[in-house]
Amino acid sequence: MAFGLTAGYIGGWCDTLIMRLVDILLSIPTLPILMVLAGIWGKGLWQLVLILSIFSWMGTARSIRALVLTVRESPWVESLRALGAKRGYILWRHLVPETAPILLANIALGVPGAILAEAGLAFLGLSDPRLISWGRMLHEAHSFGAFTEGAWWLLLPPGLGIVAVCLIFMDMGKFLEEKIDPRLGGK
């Protein structure tokens, strides 16, 4: 959120620098980098959270920047500037609440990606073996030959768990998006 607010409101070279960093990070294939970083930094929970957070903020920064670019030229922001409001006051008191719904929707829509990334890393054996996760369960099922032997009872529960949680968060994100933008409501 901070990068999007800064890039959108300040503009100029700051906007260019932040958005080029976002472009570079978005062009990197995420799964191989996640695998390499998980191998280098270790297989703990906090390492996994750090690795996933490094590669999950760019879309939110772009969305918030786009909103701030449209709002910063609105009459009420210009009137705040004309009244002598400082940049920090405008950002904190007016633009942060304006962008908060988009931030919440992006978080709700980003959680399934994080769940799938964690499950993928755990399935590949790049997570802490002491942590219980659906990806780890699928990894263990694969180790026991469940895929080749057709042992669906080892595969179906973790697979359905991943699908169900991802769909729930996608529905929450869609609901939040519809609340933010009434034009998406459909009726």
Side-chain angles (χ1 to χ4, degrees), residues 31-81:
L31 186 59
I33 296 297
L34 291 176
M35 291 168 50
V36 168
L37 291 177
I40 292 172
W41 288 345
K43 298 180 178 183
L45 177 65
W46 293 109
Q47 288 90 342
L48 185 63
V49 169
L50 178 67
I51 290 168
L52 290 175
S53 65
I54 288 173
F55 291 99
S56 64
W57 61 271
M58 290 89 61
T60 303
R62 280 190 164 208
S63 299
I64 289 177
R65 175 187 170 261
L67 178 66
V68 170
L69 284 174
T70 60
V71 171
R72 80 173 182 187
E73 302 302 327
S74 63
W76 60 272
V77 174
E78 288 183 15
S79 66
L80 283 169
R81 276 191 236 125

Side-chain angles (χ1 to χ4, degrees), residues 138-183:
L138 289 172
H139 173 75
E140 295 297 327
H142 177 67
S143 299
F144 294 138
F147 288 98
T148 57
E149 296 297 323
W152 59 268
W153 55 91
L154 293 175
L155 305 172
L156 202 59
L160 287 178
I162 292 170
V163 169
V165 170
C166 288
L167 286 176
I168 288 169
F169 275 101
M170 293 297 285
D171 279 346
M172 285 174 43
K174 185 179 178 211
F175 174 77
L176 287 172
E177 275 187 330
E178 288 174 357
K179 288 297 178 191
I180 293 167
D181 190 358
R183 295 174 291 177

Side-chain angles (χ1 to χ4, degrees), residues 86-108:
K86 296 186 192 277
R87 183 181 293 168
Y89 176 79
I90 294 171
L91 284 170
W92 184 251
R93 295 286 297 191
H94 296 283
L95 294 181
V96 168
E98 189 78 22
T99 59
I102 288 182
L103 178 67
L104 292 175
N106 278 341
I107 289 172

